[in-house]
Amino acid sequence: MLIKYGLCYNSGVDIKKLIKPNIRALRAYQAEEIPCRIKLDANESPYSAISSQSGSTRTEQSAVSFKNNLQTLNRYPDPQATTIRKLIAKELKVKPQNILHGNGSDELIYNLISVFGGPVLYPGPTFSMYGIISQALGEKKVEVPLDNKFDLDVKKMLAAIKKYKPKLVFLSSPNNPTGNCFSEDRILKIIRQSKGLVIVDEAYQPFSDKKSFVPLIRKYKNLVILRTLSKIGLAGLRVGFMITGPDIINEVNKVRLPFNVNVLSQKVASEALQNRRQMKSDIRAIISGRKRLYKELSEMDGVIPYPSDANFIFFKVEDGNRIYGGLLDKGVLIRNMNSVGDGFLRVTIGTPQENEIFIKTLKQVL
Ligand code: PMP
């Protein structure tokens, strides 16, 4: 191939034709940066989880920690992420051998599908990465619609399990984008009847008053739980965890890249996990913001909000594209969920001020 002044002269190469058909047919995850004044589209926390100690501000604190950690950047990170695994194990009352760390829980979803393969089964609508990664890895994916309350349609799920014998079943509970937890007894039925793994993705569990499935890993060896620091104030770090038995952990560890969580992320995550006070009070603030926002939305004409156990609210309006565009024109970015159906939107809970501006702007646009 001849390259001159940055121009490529080998016109005989058709890149599109070189791409595997499953990748060519794939649509990338929608994660573009859209300029806005108020960002309520990505289910992040409006608060940074780096706590204030002895009077210093959160920003001062992170700056100090950042400077200290720059000194260790000549070394690779701890490949076993020992400290953060110990801390999360303690918090969840399991052993460090039950924890595997990921560069975000996205990476663990990728690793699980690489190790076990498909078919991969999940209800719909749900978190789009289960389908995107399955397709990227060339695995068969099966989506079963949720019932009319956005709960698992257990009959259809069990029938699909019987028919397709999925190696992996992904259940996001609370579910993104609908916001609700699935019924405990329905999840249990699926765990019990499945011959493959059932992954309960608890990315939003900290915002829910329903029980976590973590203690059940002792009882069901095909149960895997996913957790992340992304929704509780540390999305920028990219740190997620998988909680399950050592047999599954050992296999997934074979495909995990050795230094997947970098030095800075491990250090900042361990600081945040050692001082949970701030994180917990931020979670409480988000839950109370959600309650207020839900009430406001339900009192609005032409808006149907759905009950949420997460840090966002899924809602329906008549003309979703118009409302989404109208809000964005006024600087307020939410998530257009028109892939789910006409009129569906999702708003992340922000600070009380951000929520107020969202409500005020929504009223104007409506
Ligand atoms: N699971 C669910 C249900 C999610 O909504 C998200 C984030 N959108 C993730 C996992 C991925 O989180 P992380 O930032 O840990 O990769």
Side-chain angles (χ1 to χ4, degrees), residues 29 42-43 103-107 109 126-127 129-130 172-176 201-204 226-231 235 238-241 312 346:
Y29 181 72
N43 299 347
N103 194 280
S105 47
D106 276 352
E107 186 183 53
I109 298 168
T126 192
F127 182 42
M129 288 311 288
Y130 310 141
S172 163
S173 186
N175 187 40
N176 178 10
D201 184 342
E202 293 191 340
Y204 301 99
L226 291 177
R227 286 290 186 105
T228 179
L229 301 187
S230 295
K231 313 299 165 185
R238 311 302 300 126
V239 176
F241 298 100
F312 57 85
R346 190 193 72 193

Side-chain angles (χ1 to χ4, degrees), residues 6 47 50 55 66 74 162 198-199 211 293 309-310 326 328 351 358:
Y47 310 110
I50 298 303
F66 185 71
N74 54 321
K162 216 169 160 188
V198 178
I199 297 104
K211 269 192 285 184
L293 204 58
D309 292 302
L328 190 55
T351 60
F358 161 69

Side-chain angles (χ1 to χ4, degrees), residues 9 65 77 243 245 312-313 353:
Y9 288 106
S65 141
I243 305 109
F312 57 85
I313 295 178
Q353 297 89 317

